[in-house]
Amino acid sequence: MLISALNRWRVCARRFAVVVVVLMLLAGGAAANAAPSGEQLSTRVVTDPNHAWVLVNKSRPLNPAQFVPRDLVSWGGTGHLLRAQVSGAVSQLFAGARAAGHSLELVSAYRSYASQAALYSSYVQMYGQAYADQISARPGYSEHQTGLAADVGNVGGGCGLTACFGTTPGGRWVAANAHRYGFIVRYPAGYTHITGYTYEPWHLRFVGVQLASDMKIRGIPTMEQYFAARPSIKSGADVLAADSAGVLWNYPANRAGGFGARERIGAGWAGLKAGFVADWNADGVNDIIAQWKSGTLTVYRGKLSGGFLSPVTAGTAGWQAMNITVGKWHGGHRFPGVVGTAPDGAMYFYPNAAGGALGARQQIGNGFQGLRLAMADFDNDRRQDLLVTTAAGNLMLYRSDGAGRFAQEARLKVGNGWGAVAQSHASFGFQGTGTRGLTAKAVDGRLIYYSLGSGRFTGSRQVGNGWQSLSVFR
């Protein structure tokens, strides 16, 4: 190694600040619905030291404090110990890095209560307790004691265990790909006030592929935020609807093909022409985009703790005449935008450059007078497509080229009888993790779920009725 054992411990233990984390975990609550595996989260899960999701930080010690994992193994014949599953995941991570041209090494792994106690004591003797608490975890409060944490670095010691590791090719690859192997960068930059720890791009925490991927997709950077989350719109499978009195309801999906009890989340929506759900500002929390009969387009940004911020105007006038859909039409853009048709049938794309107001529109088609639109990745190629219902009730697929235009190809008919469908929208995870589909309201008030494979519907079933008077969000 290029650094001494003591220095290695020192940089690994560089910590400061104390954060008080309040977990709002209720059975059937938002965190439970957010669980990627469908498991009902409870306080027991995040406090159980044997569980891969155990939450440990400066204000949450392990219980028991001298916990020792039952399945520690030596990684790669070295002296580094990890839980068996984590050891295999590290090997897969390193193999993936090598295939991408990066050579990584394991620098630190499991540390016992006694090892952490000795390290902490040495800092108290050298610097005094106040400063020691800023740079070192107390025994029983260290993630390394769980056997789920691994400190990684570049072979050869480039940057060592310092923040500049995140700027190296290997460090950048780790940040972009760790979730594929079940890891998160546990202490990201800018979140010391939440985690209690400074930026450590080398410190990886195993949470499993499903949870790591869910955090990545939803843009939730820390475990504290993930497990404390109680957003009003809990998942991409929820259904929002405004009733005739203007009350806004959320019907939370149970991830097993049904819904839980509806929850009132707002009022004053009687003047709505159409509503849409999207992560407008790419912060990992779903927002509401409201198209008003008055002609304005406004965005209500969702809060991680529930509720919404004051509305932001995305479009000022003329929207009452537009037929629109919302989504990430341009694959190279960070934020979702709007695709809409004018009364003369011209179709426009309105980019959203900064998660606020829309930019100048770009015409992308014509001949769409009076046709209904829905945006979804129909063929599962990670590009949003348009599903257009014709006057004859045919559902036509207009595939995207990923750059805000239509693919140059013949339009494919993917359904018929859609004249009886009043509105539809993409749904994610309704029947379990990874499932895709469309949720549609029929003109007779039935709610129907259409499951999607890759480029075709794989089935449909009724999931509700009596929705005639409800304006279902898309």
Side-chain angles (χ1 to χ4, degrees), residues 288-322:
I288 294 175
I289 298 89
Q291 182 188 14
W292 298 101
K293 295 175 182 177
S294 64
T296 59
L297 192 72
T298 56
V299 177
Y300 295 77
R301 292 167 296 178
K303 297 190 295 184
L304 196 65
S305 58
F308 300 88
L309 298 173
S310 298
V312 173
T313 300
T316 56
W319 289 91
Q320 74 276 16
M322 298 288 292

PDB file of all heavy atoms in Angstrom, residues 288-322:
ATOM      1  N   ILE A 288     -46.533  17.601 -10.016  1.00  0.00           N
ATOM      2  CA  ILE A 288     -47.778  17.714 -10.765  1.00  0.00           C
ATOM      3  C   ILE A 288     -47.654  18.840 -11.777  1.00  0.00           C
ATOM      4  O   ILE A 288     -47.234  19.954 -11.421  1.00  0.00           O
ATOM      5  CB  ILE A 288     -48.968  17.980  -9.834  1.00  0.00           C
ATOM      6  CG1 ILE A 288     -49.215  16.763  -8.932  1.00  0.00           C
ATOM      7  CG2 ILE A 288     -50.225  18.310 -10.637  1.00  0.00           C
ATOM      8  CD1 ILE A 288     -50.300  16.998  -7.898  1.00  0.00           C
ATOM      9  N   ILE A 289     -48.011  18.554 -13.015  1.00  0.00           N
ATOM     10  CA  ILE A 289     -48.070  19.576 -14.056  1.00  0.00           C
ATOM     11  C   ILE A 289     -49.540  19.770 -14.374  1.00  0.00           C
ATOM     12  O   ILE A 289     -50.241  18.821 -14.745  1.00  0.00           O
ATOM     13  CB  ILE A 289     -47.293  19.161 -15.317  1.00  0.00           C
ATOM     14  CG1 ILE A 289     -45.801  18.971 -14.982  1.00  0.00           C
ATOM     15  CG2 ILE A 289     -47.439  20.205 -16.413  1.00  0.00           C
ATOM     16  CD1 ILE A 289     -45.434  17.594 -14.528  1.00  0.00           C
ATOM     17  N   ALA A 290     -50.045  20.996 -14.196  1.00  0.00           N
ATOM     18  CA  ALA A 290     -51.467  21.288 -14.346  1.00  0.00           C
ATOM     19  C   ALA A 290     -51.710  22.153 -15.571  1.00  0.00           C
ATOM     20  O   ALA A 290     -51.133  23.246 -15.696  1.00  0.00           O
ATOM     21  CB  ALA A 290     -51.998  21.985 -13.100  1.00  0.00           C
ATOM     22  N   GLN A 291     -52.570  21.677 -16.454  1.00  0.00           N
ATOM     23  CA  GLN A 291     -53.013  22.425 -17.626  1.00  0.00           C
ATOM     24  C   GLN A 291     -54.400  22.980 -17.299  1.00  0.00           C
ATOM     25  O   GLN A 291     -55.361  22.232 -17.148  1.00  0.00           O
ATOM     26  CB  GLN A 291     -53.068  21.523 -18.853  1.00  0.00           C
ATOM     27  CG  GLN A 291     -53.477  22.229 -20.132  1.00  0.00           C
ATOM     28  CD  GLN A 291     -53.700  21.255 -21.284  1.00  0.00           C
ATOM     29  OE1 GLN A 291     -53.806  20.045 -21.062  1.00  0.00           O
ATOM     30  NE2 GLN A 291     -53.777  21.766 -22.506  1.00  0.00           N
ATOM     31  N   TRP A 292     -54.494  24.311 -17.166  1.00  0.00           N
ATOM     32  CA  TRP A 292     -55.719  24.937 -16.700  1.00  0.00           C
ATOM     33  C   TRP A 292     -56.584  25.416 -17.850  1.00  0.00           C
ATOM     34  O   TRP A 292     -56.082  25.809 -18.903  1.00  0.00           O
ATOM     35  CB  TRP A 292     -55.403  26.103 -15.767  1.00  0.00           C
ATOM     36  CG  TRP A 292     -54.664  25.686 -14.538  1.00  0.00           C
ATOM     37  CD1 TRP A 292     -53.328  25.810 -14.297  1.00  0.00           C
ATOM     38  CD2 TRP A 292     -55.225  25.057 -13.377  1.00  0.00           C
ATOM     39  NE1 TRP A 292     -53.005  25.301 -13.061  1.00  0.00           N
ATOM     40  CE2 TRP A 292     -54.162  24.832 -12.474  1.00  0.00           C
ATOM     41  CE3 TRP A 292     -56.508  24.678 -13.014  1.00  0.00           C
ATOM     42  CZ2 TRP A 292     -54.344  24.235 -11.228  1.00  0.00           C
ATOM     43  CZ3 TRP A 292     -56.702  24.079 -11.775  1.00  0.00           C
ATOM     44  CH2 TRP A 292     -55.628  23.869 -10.899  1.00  0.00           C
ATOM     45  N   LYS A 293     -57.901  25.400 -17.618  1.00  0.00           N
ATOM     46  CA  LYS A 293     -58.830  25.903 -18.624  1.00  0.00           C
ATOM     47  C   LYS A 293     -58.633  27.387 -18.876  1.00  0.00           C
ATOM     48  O   LYS A 293     -59.039  27.914 -19.921  1.00  0.00           O
ATOM     49  CB  LYS A 293     -60.269  25.634 -18.171  1.00  0.00           C
ATOM     50  CG  LYS A 293     -60.615  24.154 -18.083  1.00  0.00           C
ATOM     51  CD  LYS A 293     -62.011  23.943 -17.509  1.00  0.00           C
ATOM     52  CE  LYS A 293     -62.340  22.471 -17.369  1.00  0.00           C
ATOM     53  NZ  LYS A 293     -63.662  22.235 -16.748  1.00  0.00           N
ATOM     54  N   SER A 294     -57.993  28.076 -17.942  1.00  0.00           N
ATOM     55  CA  SER A 294     -57.692  29.496 -18.098  1.00  0.00           C
ATOM     56  C   SER A 294     -56.573  29.754 -19.098  1.00  0.00           C
ATOM     57  O   SER A 294     -56.354  30.891 -19.512  1.00  0.00           O
ATOM     58  CB  SER A 294     -57.305  30.104 -16.750  1.00  0.00           C
ATOM     59  OG  SER A 294     -56.107  29.502 -16.261  1.00  0.00           O
ATOM     60  N   GLY A 295     -55.824  28.694 -19.459  1.00  0.00           N
ATOM     61  CA  GLY A 295     -54.774  28.833 -20.461  1.00  0.00           C
ATOM     62  C   GLY A 295     -53.363  28.787 -19.939  1.00  0.00           C
ATOM     63  O   GLY A 295     -52.407  28.841 -20.725  1.00  0.00           O
ATOM     64  N   THR A 296     -53.188  28.668 -18.636  1.00  0.00           N
ATOM     65  CA  THR A 296     -51.833  28.603 -18.080  1.00  0.00           C
ATOM     66  C   THR A 296     -51.428  27.151 -17.836  1.00  0.00           C
ATOM     67  O   THR A 296     -52.255  26.255 -17.753  1.00  0.00           O
ATOM     68  CB  THR A 296     -51.725  29.378 -16.765  1.00  0.00           C
ATOM     69  OG1 THR A 296     -52.650  28.828 -15.825  1.00  0.00           O
ATOM     70  CG2 THR A 296     -52.018  30.856 -16.978  1.00  0.00           C
ATOM     71  N   LEU A 297     -50.120  26.964 -17.699  1.00  0.00           N
ATOM     72  CA  LEU A 297     -49.538  25.663 -17.368  1.00  0.00           C
ATOM     73  C   LEU A 297     -48.679  25.872 -16.137  1.00  0.00           C
ATOM     74  O   LEU A 297     -47.742  26.679 -16.161  1.00  0.00           O
ATOM     75  CB  LEU A 297     -48.700  25.147 -18.537  1.00  0.00           C
ATOM     76  CG  LEU A 297     -48.253  23.679 -18.491  1.00  0.00           C
ATOM     77  CD1 LEU A 297     -49.459  22.773 -18.730  1.00  0.00           C
ATOM     78  CD2 LEU A 297     -47.190  23.415 -19.550  1.00  0.00           C
ATOM     79  N   THR A 298     -48.989  25.176 -15.047  1.00  0.00           N
ATOM     80  CA  THR A 298     -48.241  25.373 -13.809  1.00  0.00           C
ATOM     81  C   THR A 298     -47.695  24.046 -13.296  1.00  0.00           C
ATOM     82  O   THR A 298     -48.225  22.972 -13.602  1.00  0.00           O
ATOM     83  CB  THR A 298     -49.120  26.014 -12.709  1.00  0.00           C
ATOM     84  OG1 THR A 298     -50.283  25.209 -12.515  1.00  0.00           O
ATOM     85  CG2 THR A 298     -49.535  27.413 -13.089  1.00  0.00           C
ATOM     86  N   VAL A 299     -46.637  24.137 -12.497  1.00  0.00           N
ATOM     87  CA  VAL A 299     -45.973  22.965 -11.937  1.00  0.00           C
ATOM     88  C   VAL A 299     -45.994  23.070 -10.414  1.00  0.00           C
ATOM     89  O   VAL A 299     -45.617  24.098  -9.847  1.00  0.00           O
ATOM     90  CB  VAL A 299     -44.518  22.854 -12.434  1.00  0.00           C
ATOM     91  CG1 VAL A 299     -43.823  21.659 -11.777  1.00  0.00           C
ATOM     92  CG2 VAL A 299     -44.474  22.725 -13.946  1.00  0.00           C
ATOM     93  N   TYR A 300     -46.456  21.991  -9.776  1.00  0.00           N
ATOM     94  CA  TYR A 300     -46.444  21.886  -8.318  1.00  0.00           C
ATOM     95  C   TYR A 300     -45.366  20.874  -7.946  1.00  0.00           C
ATOM     96  O   TYR A 300     -45.539  19.669  -8.136  1.00  0.00           O
ATOM     97  CB  TYR A 300     -47.807  21.431  -7.799  1.00  0.00           C
ATOM     98  CG  TYR A 300     -48.922  22.428  -8.058  1.00  0.00           C
ATOM     99  CD1 TYR A 300     -49.489  22.538  -9.326  1.00  0.00           C
ATOM    100  CD2 TYR A 300     -49.389  23.257  -7.051  1.00  0.00           C
ATOM    101  CE1 TYR A 300     -50.498  23.447  -9.582  1.00  0.00           C
ATOM    102  CE2 TYR A 300     -50.408  24.170  -7.290  1.00  0.00           C
ATOM    103  CZ  TYR A 300     -50.952  24.263  -8.559  1.00  0.00           C
ATOM    104  OH  TYR A 300     -51.953  25.166  -8.800  1.00  0.00           O
ATOM    105  N   ARG A 301     -44.255  21.375  -7.450  1.00  0.00           N
ATOM    106  CA  ARG A 301     -43.125  20.503  -7.139  1.00  0.00           C
ATOM    107  C   ARG A 301     -43.360  19.749  -5.839  1.00  0.00           C
ATOM    108  O   ARG A 301     -43.649  20.339  -4.806  1.00  0.00           O
ATOM    109  CB  ARG A 301     -41.847  21.332  -7.063  1.00  0.00           C
ATOM    110  CG  ARG A 301     -41.398  21.898  -8.404  1.00  0.00           C
ATOM    111  CD  ARG A 301     -40.330  22.950  -8.255  1.00  0.00           C
ATOM    112  NE  ARG A 301     -40.826  24.099  -7.532  1.00  0.00           N
ATOM    113  CZ  ARG A 301     -40.095  25.168  -7.227  1.00  0.00           C
ATOM    114  NH1 ARG A 301     -38.821  25.202  -7.580  1.00  0.00           N
ATOM    115  NH2 ARG A 301     -40.618  26.183  -6.558  1.00  0.00           N
ATOM    116  N   GLY A 302     -43.239  18.412  -5.921  1.00  0.00           N
ATOM    117  CA  GLY A 302     -43.458  17.579  -4.756  1.00  0.00           C
ATOM    118  C   GLY A 302     -42.332  17.688  -3.749  1.00  0.00           C
ATOM    119  O   GLY A 302     -41.171  17.883  -4.108  1.00  0.00           O
ATOM    120  N   LYS A 303     -42.681  17.567  -2.482  1.00  0.00           N
ATOM    121  CA  LYS A 303     -41.692  17.579  -1.403  1.00  0.00           C
ATOM    122  C   LYS A 303     -41.472  16.154  -0.914  1.00  0.00           C
ATOM    123  O   LYS A 303     -42.418  15.364  -0.837  1.00  0.00           O
ATOM    124  CB  LYS A 303     -42.163  18.469  -0.250  1.00  0.00           C
ATOM    125  CG  LYS A 303     -42.327  19.928  -0.621  1.00  0.00           C
ATOM    126  CD  LYS A 303     -42.556  20.804   0.601  1.00  0.00           C
ATOM    127  CE  LYS A 303     -43.852  20.482   1.300  1.00  0.00           C
ATOM    128  NZ  LYS A 303     -44.111  21.389   2.437  1.00  0.00           N
ATOM    129  N   LEU A 304     -40.237  15.825  -0.574  1.00  0.00           N
ATOM    130  CA  LEU A 304     -39.910  14.486  -0.103  1.00  0.00           C
ATOM    131  C   LEU A 304     -40.689  14.135   1.155  1.00  0.00           C
ATOM    132  O   LEU A 304     -41.064  12.986   1.386  1.00  0.00           O
ATOM    133  CB  LEU A 304     -38.406  14.381   0.156  1.00  0.00           C
ATOM    134  CG  LEU A 304     -37.818  12.979   0.299  1.00  0.00           C
ATOM    135  CD1 LEU A 304     -37.933  12.215  -1.004  1.00  0.00           C
ATOM    136  CD2 LEU A 304     -36.367  13.055   0.748  1.00  0.00           C
ATOM    137  N   SER A 305     -40.992  15.133   1.957  1.00  0.00           N
ATOM    138  CA  SER A 305     -41.705  14.924   3.209  1.00  0.00           C
ATOM    139  C   SER A 305     -43.214  14.929   3.033  1.00  0.00           C
ATOM    140  O   SER A 305     -43.959  14.743   3.989  1.00  0.00           O
ATOM    141  CB  SER A 305     -41.312  16.011   4.217  1.00  0.00           C
ATOM    142  OG  SER A 305     -41.603  17.303   3.688  1.00  0.00           O
ATOM    143  N   GLY A 306     -43.693  15.124   1.805  1.00  0.00           N
ATOM    144  CA  GLY A 306     -45.122  15.152   1.526  1.00  0.00           C
ATOM    145  C   GLY A 306     -45.611  16.547   1.219  1.00  0.00           C
ATOM    146  O   GLY A 306     -45.049  17.553   1.670  1.00  0.00           O
ATOM    147  N   GLY A 307     -46.669  16.628   0.404  1.00  0.00           N
ATOM    148  CA  GLY A 307     -47.183  17.925   0.017  1.00  0.00           C
ATOM    149  C   GLY A 307     -46.432  18.496  -1.175  1.00  0.00           C
ATOM    150  O   GLY A 307     -45.559  17.837  -1.770  1.00  0.00           O
ATOM    151  N   PHE A 308     -46.754  19.746  -1.491  1.00  0.00           N
ATOM    152  CA  PHE A 308     -46.197  20.374  -2.684  1.00  0.00           C
ATOM    153  C   PHE A 308     -45.820  21.817  -2.383  1.00  0.00           C
ATOM    154  O   PHE A 308     -46.419  22.471  -1.516  1.00  0.00           O
ATOM    155  CB  PHE A 308     -47.212  20.337  -3.832  1.00  0.00           C
ATOM    156  CG  PHE A 308     -47.617  18.941  -4.215  1.00  0.00           C
ATOM    157  CD1 PHE A 308     -48.679  18.315  -3.578  1.00  0.00           C
ATOM    158  CD2 PHE A 308     -46.914  18.244  -5.183  1.00  0.00           C
ATOM    159  CE1 PHE A 308     -49.045  17.012  -3.909  1.00  0.00           C
ATOM    160  CE2 PHE A 308     -47.267  16.952  -5.515  1.00  0.00           C
ATOM    161  CZ  PHE A 308     -48.335  16.333  -4.884  1.00  0.00           C
ATOM    162  N   LEU A 309     -44.830  22.307  -3.119  1.00  0.00           N
ATOM    163  CA  LEU A 309     -44.438  23.704  -3.011  1.00  0.00           C
ATOM    164  C   LEU A 309     -45.418  24.572  -3.791  1.00  0.00           C
ATOM    165  O   LEU A 309     -46.251  24.082  -4.557  1.00  0.00           O
ATOM    166  CB  LEU A 309     -43.018  23.891  -3.553  1.00  0.00           C
ATOM    167  CG  LEU A 309     -41.910  23.140  -2.817  1.00  0.00           C
ATOM    168  CD1 LEU A 309     -40.589  23.282  -3.557  1.00  0.00           C
ATOM    169  CD2 LEU A 309     -41.772  23.646  -1.383  1.00  0.00           C
ATOM    170  N   SER A 310     -45.317  25.883  -3.605  1.00  0.00           N
ATOM    171  CA  SER A 310     -46.164  26.808  -4.351  1.00  0.00           C
ATOM    172  C   SER A 310     -45.932  26.626  -5.842  1.00  0.00           C
ATOM    173  O   SER A 310     -44.811  26.323  -6.280  1.00  0.00           O
ATOM    174  CB  SER A 310     -45.854  28.251  -3.952  1.00  0.00           C
ATOM    175  OG  SER A 310     -46.133  28.446  -2.570  1.00  0.00           O
ATOM    176  N   PRO A 311     -46.983  26.810  -6.661  1.00  0.00           N
ATOM    177  CA  PRO A 311     -46.847  26.524  -8.097  1.00  0.00           C
ATOM    178  C   PRO A 311     -45.882  27.455  -8.809  1.00  0.00           C
ATOM    179  O   PRO A 311     -45.734  28.622  -8.453  1.00  0.00           O
ATOM    180  CB  PRO A 311     -48.274  26.698  -8.615  1.00  0.00           C
ATOM    181  CG  PRO A 311     -48.942  27.602  -7.623  1.00  0.00           C
ATOM    182  CD  PRO A 311     -48.341  27.243  -6.303  1.00  0.00           C
ATOM    183  N   VAL A 312     -45.231  26.896  -9.804  1.00  0.00           N
ATOM    184  CA  VAL A 312     -44.335  27.637 -10.693  1.00  0.00           C
ATOM    185  C   VAL A 312     -44.989  27.670 -12.070  1.00  0.00           C
ATOM    186  O   VAL A 312     -45.487  26.645 -12.548  1.00  0.00           O
ATOM    187  CB  VAL A 312     -42.950  26.959 -10.778  1.00  0.00           C
ATOM    188  CG1 VAL A 312     -42.079  27.635 -11.829  1.00  0.00           C
ATOM    189  CG2 VAL A 312     -42.275  26.970  -9.421  1.00  0.00           C
ATOM    190  N   THR A 313     -44.994  28.816 -12.706  1.00  0.00           N
ATOM    191  CA  THR A 313     -45.598  28.928 -14.027  1.00  0.00           C
ATOM    192  C   THR A 313     -44.641  28.403 -15.085  1.00  0.00           C
ATOM    193  O   THR A 313     -43.522  28.895 -15.232  1.00  0.00           O
ATOM    194  CB  THR A 313     -45.968  30.389 -14.341  1.00  0.00           C
ATOM    195  OG1 THR A 313     -46.901  30.858 -13.361  1.00  0.00           O
ATOM    196  CG2 THR A 313     -46.593  30.500 -15.729  1.00  0.00           C
ATOM    197  N   ALA A 314     -45.085  27.389 -15.813  1.00  0.00           N
ATOM    198  CA  ALA A 314     -44.274  26.825 -16.894  1.00  0.00           C
ATOM    199  C   ALA A 314     -44.692  27.371 -18.252  1.00  0.00           C
ATOM    200  O   ALA A 314     -43.894  27.416 -19.187  1.00  0.00           O
ATOM    201  CB  ALA A 314     -44.382  25.297 -16.899  1.00  0.00           C
ATOM    202  N   GLY A 315     -45.945  27.759 -18.384  1.00  0.00           N
ATOM    203  CA  GLY A 315     -46.463  28.342 -19.620  1.00  0.00           C
ATOM    204  C   GLY A 315     -47.517  29.366 -19.278  1.00  0.00           C
ATOM    205  O   GLY A 315     -48.368  29.134 -18.414  1.00  0.00           O
ATOM    206  N   THR A 316     -47.494  30.516 -19.938  1.00  0.00           N
ATOM    207  CA  THR A 316     -48.308  31.648 -19.484  1.00  0.00           C
ATOM    208  C   THR A 316     -49.679  31.766 -20.124  1.00  0.00           C
ATOM    209  O   THR A 316     -50.614  32.248 -19.499  1.00  0.00           O
ATOM    210  CB  THR A 316     -47.545  32.962 -19.725  1.00  0.00           C
ATOM    211  OG1 THR A 316     -47.187  33.052 -21.113  1.00  0.00           O
ATOM    212  CG2 THR A 316     -46.292  33.022 -18.873  1.00  0.00           C
ATOM    213  N   ALA A 317     -49.854  31.360 -21.386  1.00  0.00           N
ATOM    214  CA  ALA A 317     -51.141  31.587 -22.041  1.00  0.00           C
ATOM    215  C   ALA A 317     -51.319  30.656 -23.230  1.00  0.00           C
ATOM    216  O   ALA A 317     -50.350  30.145 -23.800  1.00  0.00           O
ATOM    217  CB  ALA A 317     -51.236  33.044 -22.508  1.00  0.00           C
ATOM    218  N   GLY A 318     -52.584  30.417 -23.585  1.00  0.00           N
ATOM    219  CA  GLY A 318     -52.906  29.671 -24.799  1.00  0.00           C
ATOM    220  C   GLY A 318     -52.961  28.165 -24.626  1.00  0.00           C
ATOM    221  O   GLY A 318     -53.277  27.440 -25.577  1.00  0.00           O
ATOM    222  N   TRP A 319     -52.713  27.666 -23.430  1.00  0.00           N
ATOM    223  CA  TRP A 319     -52.635  26.217 -23.256  1.00  0.00           C
ATOM    224  C   TRP A 319     -54.004  25.548 -23.214  1.00  0.00           C
ATOM    225  O   TRP A 319     -54.097  24.321 -23.353  1.00  0.00           O
ATOM    226  CB  TRP A 319     -51.841  25.892 -21.983  1.00  0.00           C
ATOM    227  CG  TRP A 319     -50.388  26.179 -22.148  1.00  0.00           C
ATOM    228  CD1 TRP A 319     -49.744  27.346 -21.860  1.00  0.00           C
ATOM    229  CD2 TRP A 319     -49.406  25.308 -22.694  1.00  0.00           C
ATOM    230  NE1 TRP A 319     -48.420  27.263 -22.186  1.00  0.00           N
ATOM    231  CE2 TRP A 319     -48.179  26.014 -22.702  1.00  0.00           C
ATOM    232  CE3 TRP A 319     -49.431  24.007 -23.181  1.00  0.00           C
ATOM    233  CZ2 TRP A 319     -46.994  25.455 -23.173  1.00  0.00           C
ATOM    234  CZ3 TRP A 319     -48.254  23.444 -23.648  1.00  0.00           C
ATOM    235  CH2 TRP A 319     -47.050  24.159 -23.643  1.00  0.00           C
ATOM    236  N   GLN A 320     -55.065  26.322 -23.047  1.00  0.00           N
ATOM    237  CA  GLN A 320     -56.390  25.711 -23.006  1.00  0.00           C
ATOM    238  C   GLN A 320     -56.776  25.099 -24.344  1.00  0.00           C
ATOM    239  O   GLN A 320     -57.634  24.200 -24.412  1.00  0.00           O
ATOM    240  CB  GLN A 320     -57.447  26.749 -22.584  1.00  0.00           C
ATOM    241  CG  GLN A 320     -57.805  27.779 -23.645  1.00  0.00           C
ATOM    242  CD  GLN A 320     -56.851  28.954 -23.674  1.00  0.00           C
ATOM    243  OE1 GLN A 320     -55.763  28.893 -23.120  1.00  0.00           O
ATOM    244  NE2 GLN A 320     -57.268  30.039 -24.329  1.00  0.00           N
ATOM    245  N   ALA A 321     -56.133  25.537 -25.417  1.00  0.00           N
ATOM    246  CA  ALA A 321     -56.454  25.026 -26.756  1.00  0.00           C
ATOM    247  C   ALA A 321     -55.580  23.851 -27.172  1.00  0.00           C
ATOM    248  O   ALA A 321     -55.798  23.250 -28.223  1.00  0.00           O
ATOM    249  CB  ALA A 321     -56.329  26.150 -27.781  1.00  0.00           C
ATOM    250  N   MET A 322     -54.597  23.512 -26.333  1.00  0.00           N
ATOM    251  CA  MET A 322     -53.633  22.477 -26.697  1.00  0.00           C
ATOM    252  C   MET A 322     -54.050  21.114 -26.149  1.00  0.00           C
ATOM    253  O   MET A 322     -54.648  21.004 -25.075  1.00  0.00           O
ATOM    254  CB  MET A 322     -52.250  22.825 -26.146  1.00  0.00           C
ATOM    255  CG  MET A 322     -51.653  24.113 -26.679  1.00  0.00           C
ATOM    256  SD  MET A 322     -51.112  23.977 -28.397  1.00  0.00           S
ATOM    257  CE  MET A 322     -49.733  22.839 -28.226  1.00  0.00           C
TER     258      MET A 322
END
